[in-house]
Amino acid sequence: MKKSLFIITCLSLSIAACKTAQEAPKAETVAIIKPALDCSTQGGAYADIKPIIDQHCTSCHGYNGADGLNFLTVVDVRKAAKEGELVGCIKHQKGFPNMPANAAQLNQADIDKIECWVNNGMKD
């Protein structure tokens, strides 16, 4: 009887130990959230981004532009920006072609200026 009780107790402890080990709490995953872009000091007017557009975009998106996009005027740049294509492309977001084509991604400061111009209402 004592031997049976001893075996039952050992089995119960073993089962409890296994169950506890399986239910050990998992480490929490901490999400890293990028702070929102502060557009209060940049991207106010088209003149702020025109040099970037001229340097990196108009060689392909000029007269008879690639994919029908012509970035020679603010009106045309606005069209691409309203559809989300401009920011999606320069940020290399999924579902958009990476721009500038066959070149390195724009530096973060230039991307931020363009994104802020869009966020601030695409003013002339």
Side-chain angles (χ1 to χ4, degrees):
M1 175 77 173
K2 286 184 180 182
K3 189 175 180 179
S4 296
L5 186 59
F6 176 74
I7 293 173
I8 292 172
T9 302
C10 287
L11 286 173
S12 296
L13 289 174
S14 294
I15 292 170
C18 287
K19 189 173 182 182
T20 303
Q22 291 173 353
E23 294 175 359
K26 296 176 184 170
E28 289 186 35
T29 303
V30 178
I32 298 173
I33 299 172
K34 183 180 174 188
L37 181 60
D38 178 12
C39 294
S40 62
T41 60
Q42 64 179 340
Y46 183 67
D48 297 329
I49 67 159
K50 186 173 181 350
I52 302 166
I53 299 295
D54 289 345
Q55 181 180 356
H56 298 284
C57 306
T58 58
S59 61
C60 293
H61 299 289
Y63 295 107
N64 300 317
D67 295 329
L69 297 173
N70 174 340
F71 284 180
L72 296 176
T73 69
V74 66
V75 173
D76 295 318
V77 176
R78 242 188 231 126
K79 286 178 190 174
K82 284 181 184 176
E83 300 297 321
E85 283 184 86
L86 179 61
V87 172
C89 291
I90 65 171
K91 290 179 81 172
H92 293 190
Q93 293 177 337
K94 186 177 179 180
F96 294 95
N98 294 341
M99 293 292 156
N102 304 314
Q105 184 176 17
L106 299 178
N107 66 54
Q108 192 61 51
D110 287 346
I111 292 170
D112 290 349
K113 282 181 187 176
I114 293 170
E115 188 172 9
C116 283
W117 175 73
V118 172
N119 292 347
N120 287 336
M122 300 176 278
K123 299 173 186 159
D124 287 343

